[in-house]
Amino acid sequence: MSDIVRIVEVGPRDGLQNEKSAIPLDAKLRFIEALVSAGLQEVEATSFVSPKWVPQLADADVLWPKLPVGPLFSALTPNLKGLDRAISVGVDRIAVFTAASETFTRKNVNMSIEQSIQVFAEVVEAFRSKHPDGWIRGYVSTAFQCPYEGRIAPSQTRKVVESLFSLGVDEISVGDTIGVAVPIEVKALTTMLRDSLPFDKLCYHFHDTRGTAIANVAEAMEQGVRRFDSSAGGLGGCPYAPGAGGNLATEDLVYFLERNSISTGIDLYRLAAASLEILKILGRPASAKCQVASFSASETCPM
């Protein structure tokens, strides 16, 4: 397998969507520009979801046209209304989301899994009619465990992955939404997904709630996966998943890969500094291990 690992930075969307403190548009843009300057080439920048439900990302229509030129930017478009907004400002890379848990899906999008797939089929069809060569990602949350239903059987996750993939999406991001998975579970699920979709279409989205994210990345890589989501500063959580901690920190992922002689093209020090302004606005100390370690005691770092 290739030693080229692709990182999708989800901090600007997944990392910020549930924050209560208002983050100014200019601060978001500086955050994204700093991530790009550090070397990140794929960034999920925002979500065209109803401002009523996610007020933090209500500025998506204004933010998108101001994004720097060059990197691959994508946006979450949960329904046709959101898709119309996204297309109107030039979005050509989108994402849709469902879950492997019925209860979680109902609490998250107020639909059953089957209903969510039907909605996304309409979104995919409408998007392809406007952008035949556009790129679509599908998210499958609670792939290992649900905060309401408990453990999710790998066969259930595979069923949802296959349904979503059959819509013609270009990639599936499989999420450990509450950060409970351990390597043996990652191996079991990855083995089961091996015949469901090509590994270059599979991405893992790990949370580090219990400190197992990097171990899970290592196991997924051992199985052949070479694509991972992460969030600068470990920002992010989920309002519909009680106890969900932050995403795998991009800093920790980059360090792990580089230390294993896998080049990422990302400047770790610049990356570590990228989220500091956002953390300051949120009144939160740096918590990503390699973010803290990248600064000496004499330099400005909220600790």
Side-chain angles (χ1 to χ4, degrees):
M1 292 295 296
S2 169
D3 280 335
I4 297 175
V5 173
R6 298 171 65 189
I7 297 174
V8 180
E9 171 60 49
V10 299
R13 195 279 298 175
D14 191 25
L16 302 183
Q17 65 180 0
N18 302 317
E19 294 294 344
K20 303 301 182 185
S21 301
I23 301 173
L25 175 65
D26 288 348
K28 293 178 185 177
L29 286 169
R30 285 192 293 272
F31 178 36
I32 292 171
E33 289 165 356
L35 293 170
V36 172
S37 178
L40 286 154
Q41 293 300 306
E42 295 186 59
V43 180
E44 193 171 70
T46 189
S47 172
F48 289 84
V49 69
S50 169
K52 175 184 177 181
W53 298 113
V54 187
Q56 187 64 259
L57 302 181
D59 55 8
D61 309 74
V62 182
L63 179 141
W64 191 270
K66 297 178 181 292
L67 294 174
V69 176
L72 298 172
F73 291 108
S74 61
L76 205 65
T77 55
N79 50 43
L80 288 173
K81 186 174 181 179
L83 178 66
D84 287 342
R85 288 175 55 206
I87 289 177
S88 71
V89 294
V91 176
D92 61 0
R93 292 170 64 87
I94 67 168
V96 295
F97 60 91
T98 188
S101 157
E102 285 288 353
T103 305
F104 184 86
T105 305
R106 289 188 182 280
K107 287 182 176 291
N108 197 15
V109 296
N110 198 31
M111 291 182 283
S112 67
I113 294 173
E114 183 178 355
Q115 288 171 327
S116 71
I117 297 294
Q118 291 172 351
V119 168
F120 301 146
E122 296 174 355
V123 171
V124 169
E125 182 179 2
F127 179 73
R128 292 292 189 207
S129 70
K130 299 287 186 179
H131 293 287
D133 298 322
W135 181 90
I136 306 174
R137 156 179 278 208
Y139 279 103
V140 178
S141 299
T142 58
F144 297 91
Q145 186 161 318
C146 169
Y148 309 105
E149 296 183 9
R151 288 197 178 195
I152 301 296
S155 58
Q156 169 63 14
T157 297
R158 180 179 64 179
K159 178 182 177 182
V160 178
V161 166
E162 289 176 344
S163 294
L164 198 52
F165 193 61
S166 70
L167 300 183
V169 302
D170 298 289
E171 174 180 275
I172 300 287
S173 176
V174 176
D176 179 21
T177 308
I178 56 176
V180 299
V182 293
I184 193 171
E185 294 171 301
V186 173
K187 181 178 181 179
L189 180 57
T190 308
T191 300
M192 186 162 283
L193 293 176
R194 192 179 302 276
D195 298 326
S196 300
L197 73 167
F199 270 7
D200 63 348
K201 306 293 185 183
L202 173 62
C203 178
Y204 270 119
H205 183 120
F206 293 120
H207 279 220
D208 204 32
T209 311
R210 292 163 178 80
T212 60
I214 286 296
N216 290 336
V217 167
E219 180 58 45
M221 289 186 64
E222 183 70 21
Q223 298 303 314
V225 179
R226 292 294 185 273
R227 193 153 173 75
F228 302 94
D229 292 349
S230 60
S231 176
L235 291 165
C238 180
Y240 304 102
N247 289 294
L248 165 62
T250 309
E251 296 87 345
D252 296 343
L253 176 59
V254 169
Y255 175 82
F256 171 77
L257 294 173
E258 294 281 351
R259 193 72 175 182
N260 275 292
S261 300
I262 299 173
S263 178
T264 64
I266 296 170
D267 184 316
L268 185 56
Y269 188 85
R270 286 189 176 187
L271 173 61
S275 61
L276 293 184
E277 180 183 1
I278 295 294
L279 288 168
K280 184 176 181 181
I281 291 172
L282 297 175
R284 192 172 302 164
S287 60
K289 296 175 181 63
C290 288
Q291 184 178 38
V292 174
S294 292
F295 295 90
S296 68
S298 62
E299 292 181 284
T300 302
C301 181
M303 296 175 60

